[in-house]
Amino acid sequence: MQAAARSGASAAPCEHGRGCPTSSAGGRQEGERASGNAICGGFAMASGTALIYDEKMTTHKLLWSDPVCDIEVPERLSSSYEQLKCYHLVERCVHVPAREGSEEEILLVHSSEHLEVAKSTQTMNEEELKRVSGNYDAFFFHPNTYHCARLAVGAALQLVDAVMSGKVCNGMALVRPPGHHSQRNAANGFCLFNNVAIAAEYAKLKYGLQRILIVDWDVHHGQGTQYIFEEDPSVLYFSWHRYEHQEFWPSLKESDYDAVGLGKGKGFNINLPWNKIGMENSDYLAAFFHVLLPVAFEFDPQLVLVSSGYDSGIGDPEGQMNATPEVFAHLTQFLKQLANGKLCIILEGGYHLKSLSESVCMTVKTLLGDPIPQITGEMAPCLSAVESIQNVRAAHKPYWKWLMYEDTSFLQNLSTKSHSLKTASPRPSTEHDSKITNINETDEIEKFLEMHMTNVLFPVPPIKTATTDSKGSAYLLPVHLVKEIDKTEVKVLVSAFYADLVKEDETLLSLGSMLAVLDKILKKEHAFFWCSLPTGTLNVSNLQMNKRTSEDDLPLQKLFLQLSYSTQPQVCNGITESPTAAVAVALRHSINFGLQRVLCVFVGDMQIVPNTEDGKILIIHICEKKQDGKNNSKYYISLNWKEDAEGNDFFSAVLGFILPVAYSYQPNLTVIAVGPKRSLGVHGISLLFALLQGLAESRIFALIEDSEINLMQSVAKILAGASSPHFGVYVPPTQEKVNEIKILRDQFQKEWKMLQCSVKDGISRH
Ligand code: X5A
Ligand code: ZN
């Protein structure tokens, strides 16, 4: 699609990157300080994560009884911040102060009448406040509301400035009151000023931006934001929301998927209505794979803003959805790949305090570059979600190139049809009947989350990226060097399954390098680590292990030691220069080590194809032409793809096929191998590495055959968590390629269910 004034492509990625100090996996060392800049060879590049929090925003509160508004409490902010402290995330962020947004800045979006009404409430008594509040749908004024709302606006603008100036590469602002329901002339749904909308107008004005993406993952429709940008092609607005065929607040016709924008803004408003409650992690991921991410990569934003409501998470009384906190790590990880990593996350809703604060922590952890927890839940979208996804794709077909060849012959207006069929029921329906759905009590969810988080969180390996000191690995910094395994040991390890390989000395040597790195990823070692304790149990940050302590502190220290003793892998990911034959050895070795599922994405010609019958290895083989004698099966899929010479057309293959299959499989390790005669360039291969990082607790092993410096460097940068690269100019795939994906999707969607994006012939979760 031709975005307005789409002249300048995103800025070129920094060529002198090294890892952000704050994104190093193990957190900061003693004496190291959170800093916004990494200096490398004299060049400074953006790194680090900003965190904006101001206690003053907790003074806005409801003074009378109102069952609609009483969930929007000050503790939403304070408990999120406490939880961030508990996980030691606050000290790893760059503290950026909030400020009051100016009147001029507020007027970028709002009318002067609206500003004056808001201003006038500062000196009102309770009775007057109540009367003004009554003029709006779901809003309450407190004498401090105006001041807090100006701080919320200013916090969002401070975050934009910190990111756009390069002081940090991304960040989060914890603000109250929220903003996305607020309109030019009205407060609405707990919102007074539209913080995110003002931030977008400000970024356009101050930094001359021409393309901004707003992702609204709050469970409510940000109708305020939609109205503000409806006719504006420079702001792409995406919102998913509980809708239930217009039954759910704010119950607007214009929240449906067919509201695509107006005039010049047609195609730049994307609504994904959820017509059932109980949506799960897989539904949200499917929405990203099959709707948001393809549009976003085609749009190519220069800045991403998130209207970050966590009422779309489990336990929320408003949303009634079932997505667990780690899903927000995955969503954040995907959005980091856009706009050169320039990502500003601004709080909106979220009313279950535990669910909210754990989700906030998952988001900030991911901004900092920590490895991503494995996603839980059945990896299959529900029928209702697939229906919604199919509808929004059809509605946007005229506006986006990646949808050009979409089959819309079914167009039967499913949403409206289901509406008329809907029977009256006292409770909204859910498609899911999981254990989680049945515990509806707030504290039951709290107990569930306490357990759940200890299950999904894991100690962060002290080293992010490892390699061996083979030829020229110096320019791979900031990776960590490990020592090769000696030849005799390699012989013992490999001769059992690939005897032929251990005859040549050179092969032995490179296998020794490869196995050394792989072992660092696989093997867990005993270690002490800072563990997070449930809030209020014990303040670990006040204890210093090497300090002399009084007698009284001893039992406390013992407790700390016990709790923090565990095993952890040494490194998170690795890269080696190895011959193709090494891939088979790596896969076999991982299985022998005890892994249950290893995903191998192989680019180029493959010499040895390992046996994949037992399902412990899934190979996705990307090559120009199908190799003879190998038939596609559930665990060996050949994807024939030759990258376009003009630009990158691989987005649709990664998002529409590779990612959905990979997430359906849920590997314990991802191996990405590049062999001879590869049919993808550096951009396509980089995209693979960037988008597969959410799998296998971010355990990725890169095996690259030829020593092309460019490719090795690009991959090492992504693995080390340095700035996200630009993946090359988006070009739409040809009809032939779209068909290739369509055929594969039809062939495999019954087995790899995350592939489903149409209801015609799929079987989805019910
Ligand atoms: C920001 C936000 C929700 C308003 C609900 C009113 N607002 N029923 O989540
Ligand atoms: Zn909300």
Side-chain angles (χ1 to χ4, degrees):
M1 138 176 261
Q2 221 35 56
R6 218 201 122 110
S7 47
S10 311
C14 176
E15 294 303 319
H16 314 276
R18 47 169 295 154
C20 320
T22 49
S23 75
S24 77
R28 289 175 306 114
Q29 305 290 307
E30 170 120 28
E32 193 186 333
R33 309 195 47 183
S35 126
N37 279 307
I39 307 296
C40 170
F43 292 88
M45 64 169 283
S47 70
T49 295
L51 180 65
I52 308 186
Y53 171 79
D54 191 326
E55 215 182 278
K56 288 193 206 92
M57 284 182 274
T58 60
T59 63
H60 159 67
K61 48 162 101 51
L62 179 64
L63 293 172
W64 51 86
S65 131
D66 176 352
V68 174
C69 292
D70 62 11
I71 50 174
E72 211 284 88
V73 295
E75 289 74 25
R76 296 181 49 240
L77 231 53
S78 47
S79 66
S80 299
Y81 194 68
E82 282 307 309
Q83 196 63 42
L84 286 168
K85 282 202 244 172
C86 202
Y87 285 122
H88 295 271
L89 295 169
V90 171
E91 67 223 49
R92 294 174 57 199
C93 291
V94 178
H95 170 76
V96 172
R99 65 165 169 93
E100 279 201 347
S102 70
E103 294 193 8
E104 201 189 339
E105 286 159 351
I106 290 163
L107 292 172
L108 286 172
V109 158
H110 297 284
S111 68
S112 47
E113 291 83 356
H114 183 56
L115 177 63
E116 290 310 318
V117 172
K119 208 192 284 181
S120 72
T121 61
Q122 290 175 100
T123 52
M124 286 181 178
N125 63 33
E126 193 176 317
E127 195 186 330
E128 290 168 316
L129 290 168
K130 211 168 168 176
R131 185 183 49 78
V132 189
S133 302
N135 292 335
Y136 304 105
D137 181 3
F139 193 76
F140 58 92
F141 277 105
H142 175 282
N144 288 341
T145 300
Y146 176 67
H147 177 57
C148 292
R150 281 188 57 168
L151 280 175
V153 169
L157 302 186
Q158 286 283 83
L159 183 54
V160 167
D161 279 333
V163 167
M164 290 310 300
S165 68
K167 188 179 187 219
V168 294
C169 63
N170 57 37
M172 175 154 201
L174 295 175
V175 301
R176 275 181 79 242
H180 72 152
H181 297 302
S182 152
Q183 298 147 40
R184 185 176 150 73
N185 207 17
N188 180 281
F190 315 157
C191 305
L192 182 57
F193 300 137
N194 198 318
N195 310 313
V196 170
I198 297 169
E201 290 294 359
Y202 176 84
K204 277 176 21 180
L205 200 68
K206 185 163 178 185
Y207 300 99
L209 299 191
Q210 292 162 325
R211 292 182 314 280
I212 297 174
L213 169 66
I214 298 178
V215 177
D216 189 336
W217 67 44
D218 186 284
V219 86
H220 299 95
H221 181 217
Q223 86 280 35
T225 310
Q226 172 170 317
Y227 299 151
I228 291 160
F229 298 112
E230 228 160 10
E231 293 186 65
D232 186 347
S234 67
V235 177
L236 171 59
Y237 177 63
F238 170 89
S239 171
W240 64 35
H241 35 268
R242 178 172 171 190
Y243 191 58
E244 296 176 285
H245 308 285
Q246 214 180 316
E247 305 270 296
F248 189 67
W249 188 90
S251 303
L252 303 165
K253 181 73 198 67
E254 63 265 31
S255 305
D256 215 343
Y257 63 85
D258 55 354
V260 296
L262 301 171
K264 280 186 186 159
K266 270 196 167 166
F268 296 94
N269 191 86
I270 302 177
N271 283 333
L272 177 54
W274 298 127
N275 287 318
K276 293 273 168 77
I277 58 167
M279 292 300 165
E280 296 179 4
N281 296 343
S282 54
D283 302 302
Y284 290 0
L285 290 174
F288 264 52
F289 298 159
H290 300 302
V291 181
L292 174 64
L293 292 174
V295 181
F297 279 113
E298 184 172 339
F299 180 65
D300 189 21
Q302 297 161 306
L303 174 67
V304 180
L305 305 175
V306 181
S307 263
S308 185
Y310 296 96
D311 40 16
S312 46
I314 189 168
D316 193 278
E318 281 284 311
Q320 309 271 326
M321 299 300 182
N322 277 333
T324 47
E326 75 277 9
V327 83
F328 295 102
H330 292 257
L331 306 185
T332 304
Q333 174 67 20
F334 289 128
L335 296 184
K336 277 175 81 175
Q337 310 310 322
L338 295 155
N340 240 268
K342 290 199 274 310
L343 177 57
C344 297
I345 302 199
I346 296 146
L347 185 67
E348 299 278 1
Y351 308 100
H352 185 288
L353 295 183
K354 177 74 176 165
S355 180
L356 165 69
S357 51
E358 293 292 353
S359 299
V360 166
C361 290
M362 290 313 315
T363 306
V364 172
K365 250 174 103 57
T366 307
L367 288 177
L368 283 163
D370 281 358
I372 315 287
Q374 202 147 4
I375 195 91
T376 57
E378 191 192 342
M379 281 298 113
C382 74
L383 183 62
S384 177
V386 176
E387 265 179 26
S388 296
I389 286 168
Q390 174 173 249
N391 283 335
V392 68
R393 284 167 64 108
H396 277 274
K397 176 178 162 157
Y399 312 105
W400 297 92
K401 288 187 191 137
W402 67 280
L403 285 168
M404 202 151 59
Y405 305 110
E406 180 80 352
D407 176 17
T408 48
S409 52
F410 67 93
L411 263 185
Q412 39 178 303
N413 210 337
L414 283 159
S415 174
T416 325
K417 196 171 96 188
S418 321
H419 190 199
S420 54
L421 290 175
K422 201 171 176 235
T423 51
S425 65
R427 246 181 61 97
S429 49
T430 168
E431 290 204 5
H432 317 292
D433 205 20
S434 66
K435 307 167 234 74
I436 303 168
T437 322
N438 294 333
I439 343 166
N440 270 322
E441 292 302 314
T442 300
D443 34 326
E444 286 294 313
I445 298 285
E446 199 177 322
K447 272 185 229 152
F448 164 78
L449 281 172
E450 192 67 49
M451 271 292 286
H452 182 75
M453 295 323 288
T454 51
N455 288 337
V456 300
L457 288 173
F458 56 94
V460 175
I463 296 160
K464 185 82 181 255
T465 306
T467 190
T468 47
D469 198 9
S470 60
K471 8 171 180 165
S473 51
Y475 42 76
L476 289 179
L477 290 169
V479 301
H480 177 90
L481 301 180
V482 300
K483 243 180 82 71
E484 294 97 1
I485 306 184
D486 70 71
K487 289 182 204 166
T488 6
E489 206 178 325
V490 175
K491 262 190 194 156
V492 175
L493 274 169
V494 179
S495 51
F497 43 95
Y498 290 116
D500 291 353
L501 287 176
V502 294
K503 285 173 189 150
E504 281 174 53
D505 233 32
E506 205 172 322
T507 318
L508 266 181
L509 211 67
S510 66
L511 285 179
S513 294
M514 184 278 287
L515 287 169
V517 176
L518 180 57
D519 273 348
K520 290 280 179 196
I521 301 173
L522 294 176
K523 282 186 184 157
K524 294 188 175 184
E525 287 181 20
H526 296 283
F528 291 101
F529 70 100
W530 295 105
C531 77
S532 163
L533 299 165
T535 323
T537 315
L538 168 63
N539 190 354
V540 198
S541 55
N542 292 340
L543 288 172
Q544 288 207 337
M545 313 246 324
N546 48 2
K547 255 196 186 161
R548 266 170 48 93
T549 46
S550 68
E551 290 279 354
D552 292 347
D553 279 332
L554 275 174
L556 220 56
Q557 274 213 340
K558 258 189 203 149
L559 178 64
F560 166 65
L561 286 171
Q562 272 171 11
L563 283 163
S564 60
Y565 185 74
S566 180
T567 58
Q568 63 178 34
Q570 285 260 289
V571 310
C572 179
N573 57 42
I575 175 169
T576 58
E577 194 191 310
S578 321
T580 330
V583 179
V585 177
L587 296 175
R588 199 66 281 152
H589 184 69
S590 305
I591 301 305
N592 289 354
F593 180 81
L595 295 194
Q596 288 305 303
R597 290 178 307 280
V598 181
L599 169 67
C600 174
V601 180
F602 195 105
V603 185
D605 280 357
M606 216 168 173
Q607 288 165 2
I608 310 169
V609 181
N611 188 331
T612 58
E613 266 161 33
D614 59 2
K616 288 188 173 181
I617 300 171
L618 164 59
I619 296 174
I620 300 177
H621 185 184
I622 300 155
C623 49
E624 192 172 344
K625 278 201 186 76
K626 200 165 164 47
Q627 282 180 267
D628 296 330
K630 285 173 217 152
N631 286 326
N632 273 356
S633 65
K634 183 174 180 183
Y635 297 105
Y636 174 84
I637 303 172
S638 152
L639 169 64
N640 306 130
W641 199 279
K642 170 108 181 94
E643 194 176 274
D644 193 283
E646 301 297 307
N648 193 347
D649 67 355
F650 194 52
F651 293 99
S652 52
V654 180
L655 299 168
F657 189 76
I658 298 171
L659 268 185
V661 171
Y663 269 82
S664 304
Y665 183 55
Q666 286 294 301
N668 315 111
L669 172 71
T670 306
V671 174
I672 302 180
V674 181
K677 299 206 195 116
R678 60 183 159 92
S679 58
L680 294 177
V682 174
H683 290 316
I685 293 168
S686 301
L687 188 67
L688 266 179
F689 277 94
L691 292 176
L692 290 173
Q693 282 179 105
L695 295 154
E697 298 183 339
S698 300
R699 271 191 295 267
I700 299 192
F701 189 27
L703 286 137
I704 298 177
E705 187 191 65
D706 66 74
S707 55
E708 198 189 309
I709 293 170
N710 236 353
L711 178 63
M712 291 288 275
Q713 257 185 342
S714 183
V715 170
K717 260 199 232 175
I718 293 168
L719 292 179
S723 79
S724 137
H726 194 258
F727 300 108
V729 183
Y730 173 92
V731 295
T734 59
Q735 179 151 25
E736 205 185 334
K737 281 174 169 166
V738 173
N739 274 341
E740 162 85 10
I741 294 177
K742 225 181 96 149
I743 290 165
L744 285 177
R745 186 191 293 143
D746 288 345
Q747 193 181 346
F748 289 106
Q749 65 181 348
K750 292 200 175 75
E751 290 162 316
W752 305 121
K753 296 200 171 74
M754 289 303 292
L755 286 168
Q756 293 166 21
C757 57
S758 101
V759 295
K760 278 175 300 176
D761 34 28
I763 310 164
S764 49
R765 192 180 87 237
H766 282 270

